[in-house]
Amino acid sequence: MALSDQIEQQTRTIGREIFARLKTESPSVFHLAWWDEKILDWCMRDETVKVQMFRFIDVLPMLKTGEQVARHLQEYFLDHKEILPLVVQWGLNFASPRSAAARAIALAVRRNASRMAQRFIAGATPAEALTAIRKLRRQSLAFTLDLLGEATLSEEEAAAYQQRYLDLLTSLAAAASSWEPMEVIDTDHAGPIPRVNVSVKLTALYSQFDAIDPERSTAWVKERLRPILRTAREVGAFVTVDMEQYRYKDLTLRVCKEILEEDEFRAWPHAGIVLQAYLRETEQDLHDLLAWVKTRGTPISVRLVRGAYWDYETVIARQRHWPLPVFIRKWETDLNFERLATVLLEHYQFVRPAIATHNIRSIAQALAASRRLGLPERAIEFQMLYGMGDAIKAALVQLGQRVRVYAPFGELLPGMGYLVRRLLENTSNDSFLRQSFVEHAAVDELLRSPFDSAQDSPEEERVNGSDTPADDRSPAHDGFRNEPELDFAQEENRRRLREALGQVRQQLGRIYPLVINGQEITTSAEIVSRNPSHPDEIVGRVARAGLAEAERSVTTALQALPTWRATPAAERADFLCRAAAAMRAHRAELAAWEVVEAGKPWREADADVCEAIDYLIYYGRDMLRLAPARQLDDLPGEVNLYLYQPRGVAVVIAPWNFPLAILTGMTAAALVAGNPVIMKPAEQTPVIAAKLMEIFRSVGLPAGVLTYLPGLGEEVGEYLVTHPRVNLIAFTGSLVVGLRINALAAQTTEGQRGIKKVIAELGGKNALIVDDDADLDEAVQGTVASAFGYAGQKCSACSRVIVLEQVYDLFLKRLVEATRSLHLGPAEEPGTFVPPLIDDEAQQKVQRYSDISKREGRVVLETEAPAEGYFVGPVIVADVSPQATIAQEEIFGPVLAVLKARDFDEALEIALSTPYALTGGLYSRSPARIERARQALRVGNLYINRKITGALVGRQPFGGLGLSGIGSKAGGPDYLVQFMEPRVITENALRRGFAPKSHSRNSP
Ligand SMILES: Cc1cc2nc3c(=O)[nH]c(=O)nc-3n(C[C@H](O)[C@H](O)[C@H](O)COP(=O)(O)OP(=O)(O)OC[C@H]3O[C@@H](n4cnc5c(N)ncnc54)[C@H](O)[C@@H]3O)c2cc1C
C-alpha cells in the first residue's frame, strides 16, 4: 500500500477514535443559556437575522444606558421580533425605551451577552485569567494568553499594550512557580518547556504598522517587541507572534526573522510564529522559513492555522480588484493544511509543529502522519481556542496529547470584535464544529479526505485552482471596473515606485513648451514648478502663455471643431481608451511625478493615476451609450430623433490637488463629447499636465483638438473665460474663483453666439458626525484619514468633526493621540502620511487659520513640522462653536475643528450650518439614525461608517450641492451630458398616405 494510502487509512482510524471519545454534549457555543440555542439556530438559517444579531452584539458594549440598549434592540429586531424571547418581545412592543421595563430588559440583555462573551474570553482582568488558567491546568490543558485590545491607533496605545504584556509576563511567571508540575503539558519530546505562554499581535505594538514602509515599521516594532522577548526569556516564558491580515504577513515574517537573528535571541528556542493555510503563498513561506531556521541554528515553533480573516480577505480583494490571496474553496484550504502539516512534521527538529485546529480530520491526519514519520511522543502540540471544541480537547488529552488553549482576556468592549469573529466562524456553513455538532454530519463524511473533495470538483477548478468564485462571473462584472490601485504590501510594487522616482529625479528641471495646434511653443515668461517637500528642487520650467497664445488657442480650437465634431463617437472614445493604455504603461512614472510636483504620498499619487485612467475608460464607454440618436416614440408616419451635439470650444481649468485625475477627467469628458479643449493646468502642477499632453499626442489625437496652455489664472484664465467664442468652461477649484468665473461667463459680449455653460466643482466645509454608539476604532481612523490625508488638501476632506457629548472626551483623546502618531515627512518617503502643503502661499494661509484657532477654541494638538518644505503640522481645535470662522470657512489644510453636540438632532443641524454641501459622513451603529442621516444630511456625497474621501469613478460619482458646485457629478452617469446639448429632429415620414414600418437610427 502506498505511503499516502496508509496515512489516509490511519487518519480515518484515529479520527473515528477521537469521535468515539467525544462526550455526547455539544461544544459550549451551541449550548447557551438565554441567548439561546434557538437564536443561534435562526442565525444559521437566516442570513439577515445573523447579520442583525452579530451587529447588535458588536454595538452592545458601547451602549451605556438602558434606553440606548432598548432603542437598539427595537431598531435591530423590528422585523425579526419573533426570534427574541417572549418577555423581550412584549417589552419592545409596549414599552418606551425610557421605561422601567425597557431598562430591565436592557440589563438582562447585557448580562446575557457578557455571559456569552465569557464562553470565549477567559476573564476581564489578569486575576480572572489566572483563575481560568488554573482551571485549564486541572483539565491537563496548557494555555497561551492573548490580551484583547482596541485597535492600536496611537503610540500611546502601543506603549500601553507593550507594558501590559511586560506586566503580564512577570505576574504569570510569579504565579507559575506555585503550579503543580504536569508532565503532559510542561514537557515535550526534548524536555521541559515554558509553562507561561503568551501570544502577541504586531499591529498592536506600532500604530503606523504598514507594509508600504517596511524599514520604518520593522525598526519600530522590533523596538517594542524586544523588551517583551527579553522579559519572556528572563522569566522563562514562551512568545508566539500571531498572524493577522494578509497585508501584514510579509512584514510580520520579516520582523520575526530579523529579531530572532539578533545575538540576544539567536539561541533562544521559545518563540513561535503562525502560518495560515488559507493563503496561497504560505507553502512558499514555509519553505523560506525552513531555510532561514537552518541558518539561524535554533528551532522555532510554528503554529499552523487555517486563518481567521477569510471573509475580510475576500471582501477586500474583491473591492480592490486584487488577486485573492486566500483559497476560495474550503477543501483547498483543508488540503493545504494537511500538506503544510506534513512538511512541519517532516522538519520537526527545526520547526516545532503546533497544529491549531478544531477540525478532527486535520488533527487525525497530523497524528497519522507523525506516527508514520516516527516522530517521538509529544513532538507535536495541538492547540484550540478557549470555549471551542472542549470535547475534542478532552478526547486528545485522553489520548495523551499535549493540548494548549488559546485564551484571550480583556475588557468586554474590545472583546466583542473577537466574540463576533468566533460566532461568525462557528455559524459559517463551512465550520467543522457546526457540521459535526449542529448538522450532525456522518463521521465518515467529516473524516473525508480533502483530496477526495478535490476529485469531486470540476476539472477546471482542480487544474487551475479557483481564483474566481462563481458569483464573481456575473454579467455585472463585464461592465466598468476601477483600475486597481497598487498593493504596496507587495515588494514588487514598492520597487516599481522607487525606481520610477529615481528615473523622474533624473529628469527634473527640464523645460516644457506650450502645445498649440501640435506645435511646441516656447515663451520668454515661465512658470517654475517646485517640489513642495524640497522647494529648492525645481521640477520643471514651463512656458507661460500670454494673451496672444490664448487667442491662438481659441482660433485653433475653432478650426478643429468641425472635423472633431464629425468624428464618430466610437473613434473619439478610442482615443481615450488608448490614452488609458498609455497611462497604464507609465503609471509608476506618472505617480512619481505627482510625488515630486504635487507632494502626494505614494498611495495618494498612485490612486490619482488610477482615477485618471478610470475617467478615460468611464467617459469613453459612456459616450458610446449616449451617442446613438434616440427615437422618442414609435408612431407611424413621424420620426422624432433626440441626439446630442458638442457645445463647441471647451476650456478646462484644473486644480493642483488631483493634478492628473481631475485634469484628465474634465479634458476627457469634453473631448469625447466632441469639443476641442484648451487645457489650462494649475500653476503648481504644470509638469504633470505636460505629461498628460504627451500621452494624448502619443496616441495620435489630431493636432488642434487639444491645446496645452499653462499660464496664470488671472491672465489667460480670465481671457478665455470671457472670450466670445468659448462655449464651455469646466472648472475645479475654490469658491471665490468659481463664482467669479460663473459671473464672467454669464456676461455676453457683442457678436457672441451662445451662452456659456459652466461646470464647476468648488469647495467644501465637510463634516463627519460621530454618534454615541459609533465604533470609535473606526471613527478615529476614518476621521484621521479624512482630515489629514494629503494634509487636508482635498475638497472632500473633513474639516469639522461633530461628536455627541457622551463620547466626546474619549473620542477626542484618541483622535489627538492618533494624529500625533502620524508620520510627517517629504512625500517621497513611503511611510509619509502628512506631506507638505502645495506652496508657501498655502502654508501662510493655513498658518493664519491656525492662529485664528487659538481664539476660537481649545487647541488640543499642534504638531512640529519639518523645517524644509511647506509644512504645517496637523492642528486639532476642540470645543469650537458652529459659527466660528474655522467652522465655516474652507481652510484646505490640516486644521480640524471638533464640535460637541448635545444630541443627534443638534449634530445634524451643525453639520448643515454652512452654505457648502460637498461631502459629509456619519459613524453610527443605529439603523434609525443612519436612516435619518440618509434623509436629512443633504450633501453631494454622504459616507456612512467610512472615511469621507477617496471617491471612486463609477462607484461614488463625485460633486457637491449648495455653494460646492454647479453641475452634475464627475465619474457619474449624468456628467458627460453637460458637455453636450441635445437636439431634436422631427421628420414627417408620411408620403401620399404611405409610411415605412420601421425607421433607421442616425448617430451624431
Ligand atoms: C490556538 C489557535 C490560535 C490561532 N491563531 C490564529 C492566528 O494567529 N491567526 C489567524 O489568522 N487565525 C488564528 N486562529 C484561528 C484559525 O485560523 C481558524 O480561524 C479557526 O481555528 C477555525 O478553523 P478550524 O481549523 O478550527 O476549523 P474549520 O471549521 O475546519 O475551518 C474553518 C476555517 O476554514 C477556512 N475557510 C472557511 N471557508 C473557506 C472557503 N470557502 N475557502 C477556503 N477556506 C475557507 C477559514 O480559515 C475558516 O476559519 C487560531 C486558532 C487556534 C485554534
Side-chain angles (χ1 to χ4, degrees):
M1 197 189 288
L3 185 65
S4 59
D5 289 342
Q6 288 173 21
I7 294 180
E8 182 56 34
Q9 222 173 50
Q10 275 255 321
T11 300
R12 289 180 196 227
T13 310
I14 297 170
R16 282 195 206 97
E17 196 181 338
I18 297 175
F19 268 110
R21 283 173 187 271
L22 297 184
K23 299 256 168 55
T24 42
E25 96 230 23
S26 307
S28 50
V29 60
F30 300 112
H31 263 266
L32 303 165
W34 167 87
W35 195 237
D36 210 332
E37 282 154 51
K38 240 188 343 201
I39 294 179
L40 270 178
D41 206 40
W42 264 89
C43 289
M44 287 189 249
R45 262 186 274 149
D46 185 331
E47 191 61 27
T48 41
V49 173
K50 176 165 154 178
V51 169
Q52 293 304 86
M53 180 61 74
F54 292 175
R55 285 186 169 182
F56 178 72
I57 294 173
D58 175 51
V59 70
L60 189 58
M62 271 302 276
L63 309 179
K64 299 289 176 254
T65 64
E67 188 223 327
Q68 278 182 307
V69 176
R71 180 164 61 77
H72 281 74
L73 265 175
Q74 278 179 335
E75 290 177 14
Y76 275 78
F77 297 107
L78 200 65
D79 299 331
H80 302 283
K81 277 201 199 124
E82 69 285 359
I83 70 158
L84 299 172
L86 273 177
V87 52
V88 179
Q89 280 188 41
W90 177 86
L92 293 181
N93 280 336
F94 300 107
S96 116
R98 290 171 199 276
S99 65
R103 277 205 303 278
I105 289 169
L107 202 70
V109 166
R110 209 193 287 279
R111 204 178 310 122
N112 283 293
S114 312
R115 212 157 52 208
M116 187 171 189
Q118 279 157 18
R119 293 177 188 267
F120 297 98
I121 298 172
T125 60
E128 286 176 15
L130 259 179
T131 311
I133 289 170
R134 284 202 200 93
K135 208 165 142 203
L136 289 173
R137 285 182 68 87
R138 280 201 293 278
Q139 299 165 64
S140 304
L141 294 167
F143 72 92
T144 178
L145 272 191
D146 160 57
L147 256 172
L148 291 173
E150 289 158 332
T152 295
L153 305 181
S154 66
E155 287 315 280
E156 188 187 47
E157 292 173 0
Y161 179 83
Q162 182 208 41
Q163 191 55 48
R164 287 169 70 203
Y165 263 100
L166 294 173
D167 296 346
L168 183 67
L169 280 166
T170 27
S171 63
L172 276 177
S177 57
S178 64
W179 295 340
E180 285 291 313
M182 295 190 69
E183 199 188 340
V184 65
I185 53 176
D186 293 338
T187 61
D188 67 6
H189 62 289
I193 54 172
R195 293 173 181 190
V196 172
N197 191 312
V198 296
S199 294
V200 295
K201 290 191 172 50
L202 297 190
T203 56
L205 289 175
Y206 176 43
S207 64
Q208 311 300 306
F209 194 71
D210 186 345
I212 198 168
D213 191 351
E215 313 303 326
R216 177 185 299 275
S217 296
T218 309
W220 274 82
V221 171
K222 283 197 297 189
E223 199 61 31
R224 289 244 166 75
L225 184 58
R226 218 170 271 124
I228 295 178
L229 298 189
R230 202 172 285 148
T231 308
R233 203 194 51 202
E234 280 160 19
V235 302
F238 190 103
V239 179
T240 300
V241 173
D242 281 349
M243 190 58 86
E244 303 173 68
Q245 288 86 344
Y246 171 67
R247 66 176 187 277
Y248 301 124
K249 191 247 309 164
D250 287 348
L251 200 49
T252 303
L253 290 173
R254 174 175 167 172
V255 168
C256 290
K257 287 178 184 171
E258 283 189 16
I259 204 161
L260 292 174
E261 259 173 6
E262 292 178 2
D263 288 346
E264 197 177 348
F265 303 115
R266 185 178 273 279
W268 185 55
H270 300 311
I273 59 166
V274 180
L275 292 180
Q276 296 160 322
Y278 65 17
L279 291 182
R280 295 164 192 273
E281 290 172 8
T282 297
E283 192 170 353
Q284 184 58 48
D285 291 334
L286 175 54
H287 288 295
D288 295 347
L289 193 69
L290 272 170
W292 169 81
V293 175
K294 287 175 188 170
T295 60
R296 178 184 181 233
T298 314
I300 61 161
S301 272
V302 174
R303 176 197 298 158
L304 180 62
V305 300
R306 278 185 170 70
Y309 308 91
W310 188 86
D311 295 78
Y312 173 86
E313 302 294 4
T314 46
V315 168
I316 291 298
R318 282 180 199 167
Q319 276 188 3
R320 299 184 183 169
H321 304 304
W322 285 348
L324 280 170
V326 291
F327 291 110
I328 291 299
R329 286 169 183 84
K330 173 70 164 48
W331 64 257
E332 296 175 294
T333 297
D334 293 344
L335 193 61
N336 202 35
F337 192 95
E338 295 193 3
R339 210 182 285 141
L340 298 169
T342 308
V343 177
L344 285 176
L345 296 169
E346 284 166 352
H347 299 89
Y348 77 97
Q349 295 100 327
F350 303 102
V351 280
R352 304 210 166 130
I355 305 297
T357 177
H358 312 93
N359 186 316
I360 296 175
R361 157 80 206 184
S362 307
I363 294 170
Q365 190 271 345
L367 277 173
S370 80
R371 283 182 197 167
R372 274 318 307 170
L373 292 164
L375 260 65
E377 282 289 297
R378 289 213 296 282
I380 176 173
E381 174 169 295
F382 291 95
Q383 298 191 348
M384 279 175 243
L385 298 175
Y386 187 83
M388 277 171 62
D390 289 348
I392 308 172
K393 291 169 193 156
L396 284 176
V397 170
Q398 278 179 23
L399 289 170
Q401 296 300 322
R402 186 170 74 251
V403 181
R404 187 173 304 282
V405 176
Y406 182 100
F409 82 99
E411 294 299 323
L412 192 60
L413 182 72
M416 280 300 172
Y418 178 83
L419 174 64
V420 169
R421 232 178 314 139
R422 294 285 81 82
L423 289 175
L424 269 172
E425 202 165 74
N426 277 295
T427 54
S428 129
N429 285 335
D430 280 325
S431 155
F432 185 88
L433 290 181
R434 173 176 172 177
Q435 286 170 358
S436 310
F437 297 98
V438 181
E439 317 286 341
H440 299 291
V443 166
D444 280 346
E445 193 49 36
L446 292 165
L447 291 177
R448 196 165 182 250
S449 160
F451 188 73
D452 292 344
S453 310
Q455 299 309 306
D456 293 348
S457 65
E459 168 78 12
E460 157 216 4
E461 246 174 61
R462 239 178 312 135
V463 178
N464 304 324
S466 46
D467 285 11
T468 325
D471 60 8
D472 240 16
R473 296 188 199 118
S474 59
H477 289 275
D478 296 333
F480 170 78
R481 245 186 193 218
N482 298 98
E483 186 69 16
E485 291 174 11
L486 290 181
D487 174 6
F488 286 109
Q490 309 294 328
E491 161 57 18
E492 153 72 10
N493 292 332
R494 295 194 296 270
R495 189 184 49 75
R496 270 175 79 183
L497 205 57
R498 263 196 320 271
E499 284 175 8
L501 275 166
Q503 283 156 13
V504 160
R505 271 252 123 73
Q506 314 266 305
Q507 300 170 46
L508 293 183
R510 287 197 180 163
I511 291 169
Y512 297 87
L514 314 176
V515 183
I516 304 175
N517 207 10
Q519 286 164 11
E520 297 185 353
I521 297 169
T522 48
T523 57
S524 51
E526 63 174 16
I527 297 173
V528 179
S529 169
R530 293 178 183 279
N531 180 345
S533 306
H534 310 288
D536 290 343
E537 198 166 69
I538 292 176
V539 178
R541 295 179 179 280
V542 182
R544 194 177 98 195
L547 301 190
E549 288 84 13
E551 182 56 35
R552 206 167 140 198
S553 307
V554 177
T555 315
T556 302
L558 278 169
Q559 280 162 358
L561 177 61
T563 319
W564 186 239
R565 182 169 51 196
T567 304
E571 254 178 64
R572 297 196 304 251
D574 197 45
F575 283 114
L576 266 52
C577 194
R578 278 187 271 154
M583 265 188 200
R584 258 186 223 113
H586 294 100
R587 66 179 277 183
E589 187 193 328
L590 288 166
W593 280 111
E594 298 213 17
V595 172
V596 295
E597 192 176 41
K600 286 224 156 195
W602 287 24
R603 268 202 192 95
E604 310 261 4
D606 173 61
D608 196 55
V609 180
C610 290
E611 191 179 333
I613 296 172
D614 284 348
Y615 281 129
L616 289 164
I617 300 290
Y618 185 90
Y619 293 144
R621 295 172 68 101
D622 214 33
M623 192 61 215
L624 299 182
R625 173 180 70 91
L626 293 168
R630 265 180 285 163
Q631 192 178 322
L632 292 182
D633 52 33
D634 198 17
L635 295 173
E638 183 176 289
V639 186
N640 295 305
L641 289 181
Y642 188 91
L643 49 91
Y644 293 109
Q645 69 167 20
R647 287 183 174 271
V649 174
V651 173
V652 166
I653 304 178
W656 48 263
N657 62 341
F658 291 89
L660 189 64
I662 295 183
L663 181 67
T664 305
M666 294 192 294
T667 303
L671 282 177
V672 80
N675 310 283
V677 175
I678 301 167
M679 193 164 75
K680 195 210 89 61
E683 288 128 58
Q684 295 85 343
T685 52
V687 173
I688 293 163
K691 299 289 159 193
L692 177 62
M693 188 69 200
E694 276 170 25
I695 285 174
F696 272 120
R697 292 176 87 192
S698 74
V699 299
L701 191 72
V705 167
L706 182 60
T707 297
Y708 170 62
L709 197 78
L712 301 183
E714 51 277 28
E715 198 180 346
V716 289
E718 290 225 352
Y719 183 82
L720 292 170
V721 166
T722 50
H723 198 291
R725 305 306 304 273
V726 165
N727 305 84
L728 170 93
I729 298 136
F731 169 77
T732 302
S734 72
L735 175 65
V736 181
V737 179
L739 291 180
R740 181 164 170 80
I741 288 177
N742 199 37
L744 289 173
Q747 293 163 19
T748 44
T749 49
E750 190 70 31
Q752 187 169 324
R753 296 174 69 180
I755 299 165
K756 292 185 181 108
K757 169 87 177 172
V758 176
I759 302 160
E761 285 301 334
L762 307 174
K765 188 69 197 170
N766 311 306
L768 246 170
I769 297 176
V770 179
D771 199 356
D772 54 14
D773 68 349
D775 180 332
L776 293 190
D777 282 356
E778 301 269 333
V780 170
Q781 272 173 306
T783 307
V784 167
S786 307
F788 304 116
Y790 192 37
Q793 302 175 102
K794 302 180 187 182
C795 23
S796 53
C798 169
S799 60
R800 298 178 295 154
V801 58
I802 304 158
V803 189
L804 266 71
E805 69 183 0
Q806 292 90 328
V807 290
Y808 186 85
D809 292 337
L810 185 58
F811 174 83
L812 185 63
K813 180 175 184 318
R814 295 193 74 195
L815 175 74
V816 167
E817 290 309 320
T819 309
R820 198 194 303 281
S821 308
L822 298 175
H823 178 55
L824 268 76
E828 72 269 13
E829 282 182 13
T832 289
F833 191 90
V834 185
L837 297 182
I838 189 72
D839 57 20
D840 51 354
E841 204 181 314
Q843 190 184 30
Q844 283 158 23
K845 184 178 153 209
V846 175
Q847 266 158 357
R848 275 199 301 279
Y849 277 108
S850 103
D851 295 340
I852 296 176
S853 301
K854 296 189 178 101
R855 298 197 297 274
E856 293 195 329
R858 182 161 56 98
V859 176
V860 282
L861 180 76
E862 263 184 306
T863 337
E864 278 286 311
E868 192 200 2
Y870 304 122
F871 282 95
V872 175
V875 178
I876 299 180
V877 195
D879 310 340
V880 176
S881 124
Q883 296 315 321
T885 318
I886 57 163
Q888 286 291 324
E889 291 181 11
E890 190 179 36
I891 299 177
F892 232 65
V895 179
L896 176 65
V898 189
L899 298 91
K900 192 188 283 186
R902 251 188 341 268
D903 53 29
F904 194 64
D905 288 327
E906 193 183 50
L908 285 174
E909 204 180 297
I910 298 172
L912 294 169
S913 68
T914 80
Y916 291 107
L918 185 50
T919 64
L922 166 68
Y923 276 94
S924 174
R925 285 180 284 189
S926 154
R929 287 185 178 174
I930 290 175
E931 187 48 39
R932 279 201 56 207
R934 281 200 186 107
Q935 306 283 340
L937 205 44
R938 291 179 194 278
V939 290
N941 286 66
L942 175 65
Y943 295 95
I944 294 162
N945 288 326
R946 54 154 280 175
K947 65 175 182 172
I948 65 171
T949 52
L952 289 174
V953 172
R955 261 155 75 177
Q956 294 98 23
F958 185 78
L961 317 173
L963 286 188
S964 292
I966 316 165
S968 190
K969 291 177 174 301
D974 302 323
Y975 190 70
L976 266 194
V977 174
Q978 308 172 104
F979 291 79
M980 300 183 281
E981 46 199 1
R983 292 166 59 211
V984 171
I985 301 169
T986 300
E987 181 181 349
N988 174 11
L990 192 65
R991 304 234 176 121
R992 304 219 173 267
F994 163 74
K997 286 209 166 47
S998 66
H999 311 290
S1000 63
R1001 289 170 172 215
N1002 297 329
S1003 295

